[in-house]
């Protein structure tokens, strides 16, 4: 076990933990988006989907626990990485530092985008997830999501959701390809393929998530 | 031309430093940045003031001692050059030029613009060597090495240990340096014997020195005077994973 702790506490090990948990979260995004798209198929389809999912309760609970652990690991590790790195840069910072000349904005703001995503996550769980757990009446799920209480009919939530999806895209603009660099497979024959898949994750997936508040909030006149 | 320098002056590691402004007149654009500093130092000495301390040795881009942060850029605004290869034609008449030492916890200031980079030496001592019998020069072709491997090793070995990668990194990470030094052996047959311990020990030493963890911002690659590529960091990560998992 000694090698394991040494690995986890080394700078490279922390990065590998970041990358592993980050990519697992990306995988979850795909599954989550798949479910959300049932909204476009209408109330019956979406409600049926959620009920089917709820009928798999034991399995769903296990997945939820695993997902929570991945999140906790990702966030805890992000926190210690960011704090340790801040310590490394010393007490005096540069008076003049042309960061934008040498690195991308998204790469320098991972801690900031991640922290706002964390706030979004808490609000999202508290509104949608918690309401789903406590609204057991059949056929209420679609109404909750599109309604004007905690759903996209509420302009505050709709706009917050849009901002969060923008930041998710920004987080993954750096994060997705960075994870492959961390695994050491960024600059080889897979490089082009990774770049192409990265576009799906930082652009297409967040944008598709974002269509939902736009459609159910702004276009369908939810508010 | 005439420039205003804002230079970091600090007596020693235990005294706080501050910026001091100097007007430098009659600067020719053909002067190197250091010739301009030499001229300023001569005038300071004539006035009985303490000259500005800065590190330099070869003045031709090979020794790696001359790192300065100039207007927020490591080794100044150009790509692929060291401070000693920078000329005043990169600046304009009337410019204010801010000159700071490398800033990182692992590179403490010794005096003015000189920092202590011996942390790099300790990383090298931790694994930046191969164990071979020295003695008479071996036959050059005794060990067959592919052109591809030789070129890759040479690209990595071009690192001059200047510390610009650390200086420009927001995390003060020494990954590019360490990666280059791990890579130059990892791709050669002579490096195989200590391959596993090398990467583990050098990374452990890098962490112990207080350098940060790489977050792949790529600033190091952009500022490296020898244009050492991020391919080296990918290789270091691979070497580290392999060595850790192989137990
Ligand atoms: C919820 C709060 C979150 C926080 C606080 C957070 C924070 C961070 C931080 C600080 C990093 C490291 C930055 C770096 O290494 O440059 C990171 C990397 C990453 N994050 Fe997040 N993140 C969060 C959520 C997410 C989510 C929801 C996803 C994806 C669905 C995600 C995916 C990634 C990926 C792929 C990486 C790249 C790992 C690497 O750089 O090697 N993160 N995150
Ligand atoms: S990798 Fe480049 S910037 Fe870093 S020490 Fe070597 S030569 Fe200097
Ligand atoms: S003085 Fe030797 S590299 Fe600049």
């Amino acid at each position: 076990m000694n090698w394991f702790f040494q690995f986890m506490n080394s700078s490279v090990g922390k990065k590998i933990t970041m990358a592993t948990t980050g990519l697992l979260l990306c995988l979850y995004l795909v599954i989550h988006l798949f479910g959300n798209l049932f909204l476009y198929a209408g109330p019956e389809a979406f409600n049926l989907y959620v009920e089917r999912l709820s009928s798999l309760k034991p399995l769903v609970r296990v997945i939820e626990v695993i997902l929570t652990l991945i999140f906790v690991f990702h966030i805890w590790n992000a926190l210690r990485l960011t704090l340790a790195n801040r310590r490394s840069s010393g007490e005096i910072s540069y008076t003049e530092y042309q960061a934008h000349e040498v690195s991308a904005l998204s790469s320098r703001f991972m801690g900031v985008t991640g922290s706002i995503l964390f706030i979004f996550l808490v609000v999202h769980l508290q509104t949608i997830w918690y309401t789903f757990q406590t609204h057991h009446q059949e056929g209420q799920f679609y109404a909750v999501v599109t309604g004007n209480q905690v759903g996209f009919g509420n302009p505050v939530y709709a706009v917050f959701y849009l901002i969060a999806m923008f930041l998710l895209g920004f987080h993954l603009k750096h994060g997705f390809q960075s994870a492959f660099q961390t695994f050491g497979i960024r600059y080889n024959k897979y490089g082009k393929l990774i770049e192409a898949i990265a576009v799906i994750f930082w652009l297409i997936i967040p944008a598709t998530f974002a269509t939902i508040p736009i459609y159910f909030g702004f276009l369908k006149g939810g508010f | 031309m005439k420039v205003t320098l804002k230079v970091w002056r600090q007596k020693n590691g235990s005294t706080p430093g501050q910026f001091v402004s100097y007007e430098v007149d009659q600067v020719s654009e053909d002067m190197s940045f250091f010739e301009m500093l030499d001229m300023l130092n001569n005038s300071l000495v004539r006035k009985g003031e303490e000259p500005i301390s800065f590190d330099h040795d070869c003045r031709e881009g090979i020794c790696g001692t001359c790192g300065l942060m100039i207007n927020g850029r490591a080794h100044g605004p150009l790509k692929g050059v060291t401070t000693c290869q920078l000329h005043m034609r990169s600046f304009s008449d009337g410019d204010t030029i801010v000159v700071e030492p490398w800033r990182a916890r692992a590179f403490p200031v010794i005096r003015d613009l000189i920092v202590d980079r011996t942390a790099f030496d300790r990383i090298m001592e931790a694994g930046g060597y191969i164990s071979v019998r020295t003695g008479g020069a071996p036959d050059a072709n005794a060990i067959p090495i592919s052109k591809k491997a030789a070129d890759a090793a040479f690209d990595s070995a071009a690192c001059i240990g200047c510390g610009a990668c650390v200086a420009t990194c927001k995390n003060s990470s020494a990954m590019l340096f360490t990666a280059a030094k791990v890579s130059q052996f990892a791709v050669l047959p002579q490096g195989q014997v200590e391959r596993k311990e090398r990467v583990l020990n050098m990374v452990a030493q890098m962490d112990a020195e207080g350098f940060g963890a790489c977050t792949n911002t790529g600033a190091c690659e952009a500022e490296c005077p020898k244009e050492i590529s991020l391919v080296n960091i990918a290789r270091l990560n691979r070497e580290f994973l392999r060595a850790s998992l192989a137990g």
Side-chain angles (χ1 to χ4, degrees), chain B:
Chain B
M1 61 199 238
K2 183 173 173 179
V3 293
T4 305
L5 290 184
K6 261 182 78 180
V7 182
W8 184 259
R9 303 299 309 259
Q10 184 171 348
K11 204 168 163 46
N12 53 43
S14 44
T15 334
Q18 81 284 329
F19 280 102
V20 179
S21 288
Y22 301 96
E23 305 258 314
V24 193
D25 207 350
Q26 289 179 327
V27 175
S28 144
E29 58 180 27
D30 295 329
M31 279 181 178
S32 74
F33 192 81
F34 281 161
E35 282 167 336
M36 182 273 299
L37 281 184
D38 290 339
M39 190 167 84
L40 169 62
N41 271 347
N42 283 340
S43 75
L44 290 179
V45 170
R46 271 197 299 276
K47 281 191 276 182
E49 290 176 34
E50 196 60 41
I52 300 162
S53 299
F54 60 94
D55 230 347
H56 59 95
D57 186 17
C58 70
R59 293 210 182 188
E60 56 181 9
I62 53 172
C63 74
T65 52
C66 63
L68 293 180
M69 201 73 172
I70 300 167
N71 280 345
R73 297 288 306 276
H75 292 299
L78 301 183
K79 253 191 96 64
V81 300
T82 52
T83 305
C84 59
Q85 295 171 304
L86 179 69
H87 288 79
M88 292 311 290
R89 55 181 159 269
S90 295
F91 303 91
S92 314
D93 189 34
D95 274 2
T96 297
I97 307 171
V98 180
V99 190
E100 295 173 79
W102 287 167
R103 300 221 186 267
R105 188 160 65 107
F107 284 167
V109 171
I110 297 175
R111 186 183 182 88
D112 295 341
L113 301 171
I114 301 180
V115 298
D116 180 356
R117 287 179 298 114
T118 50
F120 270 9
D121 299 339
R122 290 186 291 273
I123 294 176
M124 288 306 278
E125 282 163 24
Y129 53 80
I130 54 168
S131 305
V132 287
R133 269 170 58 140
T134 54
D139 179 5
N141 293 320
I143 306 171
I145 298 171
S146 72
K147 169 98 169 77
K148 208 173 144 214
D151 285 350
F154 197 82
D155 284 349
S156 304
C159 165
I160 54 176
C162 67
C165 43
V166 174
T168 191
C169 176
K170 76 176 182 58
N171 311 315
S172 297
S173 166
M175 276 291 268
L176 194 62
F177 166 78
T178 309
K181 298 305 175 192
V182 165
S183 290
Q184 69 190 20
F185 298 117
V187 296
L188 292 178
Q190 292 94 327
Q192 301 311 304
V193 181
E194 291 111 343
R195 184 169 179 181
K196 194 183 135 194
E197 297 85 72
R198 175 178 304 115
V199 63
L200 294 178
N201 293 342
M202 287 177 84
V203 167
Q205 190 62 36
M206 173 179 92
D207 292 349
E209 296 292 347
F211 293 108
C214 171
T215 62
N216 302 327
T217 70
C220 50
E221 183 188 56
E223 289 292 56
C224 172
K226 297 296 147 187
E227 306 191 300
I228 301 289
S229 120
L230 293 181
V231 170
N232 289 279
I233 296 187
R235 190 183 293 112
L236 173 88
N237 289 333
R238 224 159 44 227
E239 292 287 316
F240 185 83
L241 251 178
R242 215 175 95 132
S244 300
L245 297 185

